[in-house]
Amino acid sequence: MDTVLLFALGLLAQGLDLSLGVPGLRRPGTLFPWHRAPSSGRVRRAWVIPPISVSENYKRLPYPLVQIKSDKQQLGSVIYSIQGPGVDEEPRGVFSIDKFTGKVFLNALLDREKTDRFRLRAFALDLGGSTLEEPTDLEIVVVDQNDNRPVFRQEVFTGHVLEGAVPGTYVTRAEATDADDPETDNAALRYSILEQGSPQLFSIDEHTGEIRTVQVGLDREVVAVYNLTLQVADMSGDGLTSTASAIITLEDVNDNAPGFTREEFFMEATEAMSGVDVGRLEVEDRDLPGSPNWAARFTILEGDPDGHFAIRTDPKTNEGVLSVVKPLDYESCDQYDLRVEVQNEVPLQAAAPRAERDQARVSVQVRDVNEAPVFQENPLRTSLAEGAAPGTPVATFSARDPDTQQLQRLSYSKDYDPEDWLQVDGATGWVQTQSVLSPASPFLKDGWYRAIILAYDDASPPCTATGTLSIEILEVNDHAPELSPSSGSLCSEPDQGSGLLLGATDEDLPPHGAPFHFQLSPRVPELARNWSLSRINMSHARLRLRHQVQEGLHRLSLLLQDSGQPPQHREQLLNVTVCHCGQDGVCLQGAAALRAKGTGLSLGALGIVLASVILLLLLALPVALLSRFRQQPWDKGLLPGLQDDLRDNILNYDEQGGGEEDQDAYDISQLRHPAELAALSAPLGRPLLRRDTPFSWVRPPPSRVLPTSPADMADFINDGLEAADSDLSVPPYDTALIYDYEGDGSMAGTLSSILSSRGDEDQDYSCLQDWGPRFARLADLYGPP
């Protein structure tokens, strides 16, 4: 350190011409031969101080570093000071200066690793505070000492290398640092391996710290992990040292093939079951457990041509699990001899010492059990026409028993038949209907009816099979189309109105319904001369007049046909009222009233009936008068109780004789209001016909004029009654109308010509002989023989 001080003082004396202020001190020119010798004259130089070096960790304190001096004033008249880090800045108190002598002292230990140099500012002032010299820099360099050991960046280094790796394979790298000056030997590091076991398989580069393999023989199955002790030293290996560990793991390669622990395995399986495990095949593999090099893969080479078995690998134990994936049949095969192979999922290394694949024999014995019957066709689909009568065969839904070596009997029953429509033979499985299935059944889904049939054997316990019987209900064209509406009105002028829109409905489902065909009945060819039908769409047609016809009611016979196979047709009557229309093509009020009246009796029929009633009343009136004059006691008069209104004693009932066709009864109100009969004289057109009217019916001739001869009266009455009975345009009035109750107090007898003899049994008509030749014929007809 003295040398450093003399060096600093010599530099200060030469460069600044500053006096040390110490008597007898000579300038050490011989210590610095590169400096020029001073000349004999005095030369002023700049106030410059070169860098001052001082060693870290110097302990003899305070230690004088340098003395600065200004030649501007005499000694003792200059004030010196310094500023900067280590003085008035952190770290404070490291340096100080004697303000009168200019000596700079080191007051604290220096640490180069914290601060490697200090830059201070030096000032020279006179006693008055004026600046004598410009401020100058004072740089103090801290000289490094080897006071720091090298340190590894981590305590444990890890590395991985494949087993069997070739020499020189890189494994990992160890790194260390040193806080000392890297430009000196204090930080010159060297790496080495202190311990790695035997043999010496790894080496480390002393400069870089890279660890590599040095020879072959790395076998994971022998040693899986190597622990190395590493060392690093500074001073190029001769200084301070530190240690660390390196853990090197050998990565597995598939250098060991799996092998069965036995050459043959024995197992047992139950027939008619699938998805069950039969047994396990044990294997061993020295490779790393859980890795693809260790995982086994099994293959059935022989003995299972139909694919009844499968082998999967248990990922935890690496065993092969043999399972049944397709049910076994004891009756077909009672034992299976399988040849099984095992290998790894990844290919085996070429240098593997064992064979790549191993094989074993697996014997599986099948155990017989009672199996459930099996339907030969399940579900069984069949079809049946709608409306099938009870007893119609449906199908034979039979099953077979797989247990052919056991004598068992099968039985059948219904499990699901919501409409109770089917009947199943318990011994044969023959299915037939036992009722008629309604087409409106809620259990018909899209035309299909589903039932479930059971078949079970007589074993103990019995086994049951379930079969589904699906029956398609075929639509049958069993309904003819029907006209809708059955009546309407048309304008008498063909060019007025839009015609009469006609539609048709059919209870059958497609394709047995629309499109419909409308046609005027070919049996009445004269209809085509006055009327025309044109099709609008699949279900409607339009009726029009070809030319003007008589206003009133007209009955047209139409032929309707559907599109079923075979088609159904119906001939139906259409009531068309031809009326006088206005500009808008709508019937006028008078025409509407006419149409309403047209639905009643025809004029001819009503005239015949009224004439007959009037004639009978005329015949009965003399009898009543004669009976009153003679005061003869009759049990029942012809017209007793004239004070009673016989018409008011007739009660209407829902069913009134004459069968289903007698739907239009005679309106008794016409007898209560005879004045209204005058309206019947208006033209009505063609009268309505009853539904039972045959197409070949010919309208009876109009009624004749009353005869003038009394002898012809009986023939006139009989002809009138016969004409009324044969007139199909009116309801069958001349029939026996049966009433449950006709009211009390009516003494009138029946007016029917059919029951006239029965109703007049108690009447005495012998008095008619006294009335003259006009009533003699009646006396012969109704009097006693």
Side-chain angles (χ1 to χ4, degrees), residues 601-618 666-678 680 706 716 720-721 724 733 751:
L601 297 174
S602 64
L603 181 61
L606 185 60
I608 294 175
V609 173
L610 291 178
S612 300
V613 172
I614 293 173
L615 179 60
L616 291 177
L617 291 176
L618 292 176
Y666 178 72
D667 188 4
I668 197 68
S669 63
Q670 296 182 8
L671 294 180
R672 292 193 181 96
H673 305 284
E676 294 180 1
L677 295 178
L680 295 176
L706 293 176
F716 175 81
L721 293 176
Y733 298 110
L751 299 180

Side-chain angles (χ1 to χ4, degrees), residues 210-502:
E210 291 184 354
I211 301 176
R212 297 178 180 269
T213 61
V214 294
Q215 60 179 344
V216 296
L218 294 176
D219 189 354
R220 192 207 64 82
E221 288 72 39
V222 178
V223 180
V225 179
Y226 289 88
N227 292 310
L228 280 63
T229 302
L230 308 179
Q231 176 182 278
V232 61
D234 57 13
M235 301 297 291
S236 299
D238 298 329
L240 303 177
T241 62
S242 294
T243 60
S245 297
I247 299 177
I248 301 176
T249 303
L250 299 186
E251 294 183 349
D252 184 57
V253 296
N254 191 18
D255 54 353
N256 294 278
F260 290 102
T261 58
R262 289 181 292 172
E263 294 183 356
E264 188 171 3
F265 297 87
F266 297 92
M267 302 177 185
E268 190 177 63
T270 303
E271 71 165 334
M273 297 183 66
S274 62
V276 295
D277 296 338
V278 177
R280 289 176 172 260
L281 307 177
E282 297 178 359
V283 296
E284 60 180 7
D285 194 319
R286 298 179 60 200
D287 291 320
L288 180 64
S291 67
N293 302 323
W294 174 79
R297 185 177 63 189
F298 299 86
T299 305
I300 299 176
L301 300 178
E302 295 179 358
D304 186 23
D306 297 327
H308 291 282
F309 300 95
I311 304 179
R312 70 179 187 277
T313 302
D314 188 332
K316 295 182 179 180
T317 64
N318 210 30
E319 296 174 328
V321 182
L322 181 66
S323 61
V324 178
V325 295
K326 185 178 180 181
L328 303 175
D329 186 8
Y330 175 84
E331 288 72 23
S332 300
C333 181
D334 58 357
Q335 182 173 340
Y336 292 85
D337 292 323
L338 310 178
R339 188 162 63 90
V340 181
E341 177 187 79
V342 62
Q343 59 182 331
N344 289 128
E345 292 184 357
V346 298
L348 194 67
Q349 291 290 328
R354 299 183 56 182
E356 182 178 357
R357 303 178 181 182
D358 193 17
Q359 297 181 2
R361 182 173 177 266
V362 181
S363 179
V364 181
Q365 184 69 35
V366 182
R367 184 171 61 249
D368 187 25
V369 295
N370 182 35
E371 301 176 70
V374 178
F375 283 98
Q376 299 178 0
E377 184 180 357
N378 191 13
L380 177 62
R381 292 180 173 85
T382 185
S383 59
L384 203 65
E386 66 170 336
T392 302
V394 178
T396 300
F397 202 11
S398 60
R400 65 175 182 84
D401 192 350
D403 299 314
T404 57
Q405 299 184 11
Q406 302 179 20
L407 296 179
Q408 298 179 157
R409 179 180 300 174
L410 299 183
S411 301
Y412 301 89
S413 65
K414 292 191 305 182
D415 181 65
Y416 179 75
D417 181 16
E419 287 286 359
D420 197 22
W421 178 41
L422 304 175
Q423 182 180 2
V424 181
D425 188 280
T428 62
W430 185 61
V431 183
Q432 63 179 354
T433 62
Q434 62 180 359
S435 61
V436 178
L437 181 64
S438 172
S441 171
F443 299 99
L444 273 177
K445 304 297 183 183
D446 298 328
W448 287 84
Y449 183 83
R450 187 175 68 92
I452 297 178
I453 311 299
L454 300 180
Y456 48 91
D457 55 28
D458 56 356
S460 182
C463 289
T464 304
T466 302
T468 301
L469 177 61
S470 296
I471 306 173
E472 183 183 13
I473 307 302
L474 301 177
E475 178 74 15
V476 177
N477 191 19
D478 54 352
H479 295 87
E482 185 175 355
L483 188 64
S484 176
S486 60
S487 63
S489 60
L490 277 176
C491 296
S492 58
E493 297 293 335
D495 56 349
Q496 285 186 333
S498 59
L500 177 59
L501 181 64
L502 303 178

